[in-house]
């Protein structure tokens, strides 16, 4: 049941109940709520909550009401943050009050993604650039294989990006080397992660606003969301169990390569609870890293299709530093500042997680004179933070030079300080490697069909994880020498 599936009569009745209970139980607030769209009698701000691309509606609220705006939906208070300053002041400086993470009834409870909260082992695996260094050979080998796939079938770019992201993270998480085509683990994980994005999308499910609906039987009219949740739960369970069983079988046979999972299992007899944590930790590593990387890398190809001058500058730097006789490697990173800037601009220009994951307030708070009650959901509008003209000049332009120091001008804010998330360092490494290798050997340009040049549309999808709209582009080797580099053994 989505917000559009429910009638105004249903909302009205529910709203009346909430309103009457609140009138009886609530006391006068110690301070006003932050400003926001005025609520309707009984139902509050239900009609104001966006279901498609909520970050655009939140941006409009920010322009009208300021960096902190507030709505109330059937008794649930929601605060939206529209600036980095507000996010830092509340989510970082007051983290003891704002660090709780809500478990959404649809995605968290009914589908089961709440189990991916087991992340205590992540920091030593992918929690810093230094921790990622051990996986650099995997990144380089799989990115070289990506070049080969693109060369063979350039019209299937999106599939190649997804395949490579899955290959890298499954090697790290489970020591699994993917099949070249139609890999069952990659296909299963892609399906589950797509369902995650849909099941946790801001404002998409009424049960997230009215948790009591989770107890409604599946056969009740209007409870189709329960059937959807059951099917998505089965997909998720398969995604978690199948690669975990692969690792255990490999270990039993004495042929398991080192991986996140094998390291946690090696030499230990685990209780059922411990095994649950290991299994879901590994699944969290995949679901948190793969889809963000797919979105960012696909956006890179869109950007260089639309902004050919960026491609020329990047290729000139690679030619000067690396030369034509080899592919770039991570050892070149410090010598390629423009390539580094391109990778940063990819993360800024394409907001992978445009509204981040909501926080929940643990106790009542007064912030900047505004009352933030216990239980309030706090949503950072990351998309606007990355497109705020107060922070980034001409934000719709793809301009890597904004991150390069110039005489009399400091670089603009590093977007990686805004792109919160444990998968950041994995995405950062994968994006950098793909940018460097791809530009070293490929020319990317607009497609010409029937004599007409096709300009791709910049239209990100809605969902917790946002992807560029599918587009066409031309990808060709830069030279005979580039072709030879691609065809070398990875």
């Amino acid at each position: 049941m989505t917000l559009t599936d429910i009638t105004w009569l249903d909302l009205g009745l529910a709203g009346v109940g909430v309103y009457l209970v609140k009138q009886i139980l609530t006391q006068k607030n110690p301070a006003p709520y932050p400003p926001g769209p005025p609520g309707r009698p009984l139902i509050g701000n239900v009609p104001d909550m966006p279901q498609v691309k909520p970050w655009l509606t939140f941006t409009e609220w920010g322009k009208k009401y300021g960096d902190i705006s507030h709505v109330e939906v059937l008794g649930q208070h929601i605060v939206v943050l529209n600036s980095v300053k507000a996010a830092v002041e509340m989510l970082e400086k007051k983290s003891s009050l704002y660090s709780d993470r809500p478990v959404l009834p649809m995605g968290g409870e009914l589908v089961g993604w709440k189990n991916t909260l087991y992340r205590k082992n992540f920091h030593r695996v992918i929690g810093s650039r230094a921790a990622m260094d051990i996986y650099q050979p995997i990144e380089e080998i799989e990115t070289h294989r990506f070049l080969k796939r693109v060369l063979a079938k350039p019209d299937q770019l999106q599939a190649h990006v997804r395949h490579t992201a899955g290959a890298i993270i499954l090697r790290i998480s489970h020591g699994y080397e993917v099949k070249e085509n139609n890999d069952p683990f990659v296909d299963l994980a892609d399906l589950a992660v797509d369902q995650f994005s849909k099941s946790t999308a801001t404002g998409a499910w009424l049960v997230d606003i009215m948790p009591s609906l989770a107890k409604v039987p599946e056969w009740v009219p209007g409870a189709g969301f329960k059937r959807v949740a059951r099917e998505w739960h089965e997909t998720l369970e398969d995604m978690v169990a199948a690669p975990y069983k692969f690792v255990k079988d490999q270990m039993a046979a004495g042929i398991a390569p080192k991986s996140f999972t094998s390291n946690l299992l090696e030499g230990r007899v685990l209780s059922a609870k411990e095994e649950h944590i290991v299994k879901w930790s590994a699944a969290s590593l995949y679901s948190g890293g793969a889809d963000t990387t797919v979105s960012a890398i696909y956006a890179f190809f869109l950007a260089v299709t639309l902004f050919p001058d960026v491609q020329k500058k990047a290729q000139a730097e690679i030619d000067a530093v690396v030369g034509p006789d080899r592919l770039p490697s991570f050892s070149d990173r410090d010598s390629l500042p423009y390539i580094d800037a391109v990778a940063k601009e990819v993360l800024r220009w394409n907001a992978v997680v445009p509204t981040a994951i909501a926080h929940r307030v643990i106790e009542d708070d007064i912030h900047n004179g505004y009352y933030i009650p216990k239980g309030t959901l706090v949503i950072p509008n990351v998309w606007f933070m990355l497109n705020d003209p107060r922070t980034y000049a001409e934000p719709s332009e793809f301009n890597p030079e904004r991150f390069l120091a110039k005489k009399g001008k400091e670089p603009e804010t590093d977007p990686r300080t805004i792109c919160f998330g444990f998968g950041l360092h994995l995405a950062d490494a994968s994006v950098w490697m793909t940018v460097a290798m791809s530009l070293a050997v490929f020319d990317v340009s607009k497609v010409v069909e029937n004599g007409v040049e096709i300009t791709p549309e910049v239209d990100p999808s809605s969902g917790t994880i946002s992807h560029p709209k599918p587009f066409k582009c031309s990808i060709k080797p830069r030279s005979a020498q580039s072709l030879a580099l691609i065809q070398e053994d990875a």
Side-chain angles (χ1 to χ4, degrees):
M1 185 186 299
T2 68
L3 284 177
T4 55
D5 292 328
I6 195 158
T7 68
W8 283 106
L9 176 60
D10 294 328
L11 288 174
L13 292 173
V16 167
V18 172
Y19 177 78
L20 292 175
V21 170
K22 286 187 66 180
Q23 292 303 304
I24 295 170
L25 298 179
T26 59
Q27 300 176 346
K28 185 173 174 60
N29 293 338
Y33 297 123
R40 280 74 163 174
L42 305 181
I43 60 171
N45 295 104
V46 168
D48 299 307
M49 284 302 293
Q51 297 175 60
V52 178
K53 298 182 182 178
W55 55 90
L56 299 180
T57 300
F58 295 162
T59 295
E60 291 305 310
W61 293 357
K63 292 176 182 177
K64 190 169 184 178
Y65 303 110
D67 291 347
I68 306 174
S69 52
H70 166 269
V71 291
E72 184 178 356
V73 180
L74 301 178
Q76 175 64 63
H77 293 277
I78 300 171
V79 164
V80 175
L81 307 181
N82 268 301
S83 75
V84 176
K85 181 175 180 288
V88 169
E89 286 179 350
M90 298 175 77
L91 304 182
E92 291 188 16
K93 294 182 179 178
K94 292 186 174 182
S95 60
S96 60
L97 290 178
Y98 289 85
S99 60
D100 193 24
R101 296 285 193 173
V103 175
L104 296 174
M106 182 62 178
E109 295 286 353
L110 295 176
V111 180
W113 285 97
K114 66 179 181 180
N115 290 310
T116 59
L117 297 176
Y118 299 113
R119 296 174 177 171
K120 65 180 182 179
N121 298 302
F122 286 174
H123 184 76
R124 67 183 177 85
V125 179
I126 59 168
S128 66
R129 186 182 288 187
M132 281 296 302
D133 286 352
I134 192 173
Y135 302 107
Q136 287 181 353
I138 292 175
E139 293 269 2
E140 292 179 358
I141 290 168
E142 293 296 344
T143 305
H144 192 165
R145 289 174 177 170
F146 167 75
L147 302 180
K148 291 175 180 286
R149 295 183 192 111
V150 173
L151 176 68
K153 296 179 180 178
D155 59 330
Q156 296 182 20
L157 173 64
Q158 192 172 31
H160 300 323
V161 172
R162 193 167 288 282
H163 186 96
T164 301
I168 291 170
I169 196 64
L170 280 167
R171 286 275 291 273
I172 294 171
S173 62
H174 294 87
Y176 175 78
E177 191 158 352
V178 303
K179 296 177 174 59
E180 192 58 37
N181 296 297
N182 302 317
D183 186 271
F185 287 1
V186 171
D187 292 345
L188 185 59
D190 284 348
L191 179 60
V193 170
D194 179 62
Q195 292 169 355
F196 162 77
S197 185
K198 292 174 180 175
S199 69
T200 58
T202 301
W205 304 94
L206 186 64
V207 69
D208 290 340
I209 304 299
M210 299 178 65
S212 59
L213 290 174
K215 298 176 183 177
V216 173
E218 191 175 308
W219 53 264
V220 171
F225 72 96
K226 294 289 291 286
R227 175 186 54 77
V228 172
R230 175 172 50 79
E231 292 173 357
W232 290 0
H233 174 77
E234 291 170 1
T235 303
L236 176 59
E237 288 289 337
D238 289 344
M239 186 205 84
V240 173
Y244 182 74
K245 182 179 184 299
F246 166 82
V247 176
K248 294 201 73 174
D249 289 347
Q250 293 270 294
M251 293 181 73
I255 56 173
K258 288 291 184 183
S259 68
F260 174 84
T261 304
S262 68
N263 284 343
L264 292 176
L265 293 176
E266 191 73 49
R268 300 174 64 196
V269 177
L270 304 183
S271 66
K273 181 179 179 181
E274 289 170 332
E275 187 166 52
H276 177 86
I277 291 173
V278 170
K279 183 165 62 173
W280 280 91
S281 292
S284 303
L285 186 59
Y286 183 95
S287 61
D291 209 31
T292 53
T293 301
V294 171
S295 174
I297 291 175
Y298 197 49
F300 156 68
F301 280 92
L302 175 61
V304 292
T305 302
L306 293 171
F307 300 90
D309 288 348
V310 169
Q311 178 172 223
K312 290 174 185 173
K313 290 178 184 177
Q315 289 173 333
E317 183 180 70
I318 293 170
D319 293 345
V321 173
V322 178
D325 299 326
R326 65 177 178 87
L327 291 169
S329 69
F330 281 108
S331 62
D332 299 308
R333 187 164 189 174
D334 291 340
S335 304
L336 296 169
Y338 190 79
I339 297 298
D340 216 41
V342 171
K344 289 178 184 177
E345 183 68 337
V346 166
L347 296 174
R348 185 205 66 81
W349 186 72
N350 173 73
V352 173
V353 188
T355 57
I357 303 297
H359 292 238
R360 183 167 55 194
V361 183
I362 297 171
E363 297 176 5
D364 289 356
D365 184 35
I366 304 293
H367 184 81
N368 286 356
Y370 296 128
Y371 176 49
I372 314 292
K374 177 183 177 180
T376 296
L377 298 183
V378 181
I379 302 174
N381 186 7
V382 172
W383 181 88
F384 181 68
M385 295 178 196
L386 296 172
N387 285 272
D388 188 344
R390 297 171 296 183
T391 308
Y392 299 105
E394 299 184 62
S396 63
E397 292 293 306
F398 189 89
N399 177 22
E401 292 189 20
R402 67 175 79 246
F403 301 118
L404 300 175
K406 295 180 181 177
K407 192 173 183 180
K409 182 179 177 295
E410 289 294 309
E412 294 180 7
T413 303
D414 188 333
R416 294 173 299 189
T417 63
I418 300 171
C419 300
F420 306 108
F422 67 86
L424 168 62
H425 294 287
L426 176 63
D428 178 53
S430 295
V431 170
W432 189 90
M433 192 75 265
T434 304
V435 168
M437 279 197 183
S438 298
L439 291 178
V441 296
F442 288 131
D443 279 325
V444 183
S445 60
K446 295 178 183 179
V447 166
V448 176
E449 294 182 345
N450 300 319
V452 178
E453 190 176 69
I454 307 299
T455 300
E457 185 180 1
V458 179
D459 183 19
S461 66
S462 197
T464 300
I465 299 172
S466 179
H467 292 262
K469 184 177 182 177
F471 66 94
K472 294 181 180 180
C473 65
S474 170
I475 307 175
K476 297 178 179 177
R478 295 178 64 196
S479 65
Q481 207 160 6
S482 298
L483 180 62
L485 284 177
I486 298 169
Q487 291 174 330
E488 285 179 357
D489 289 336

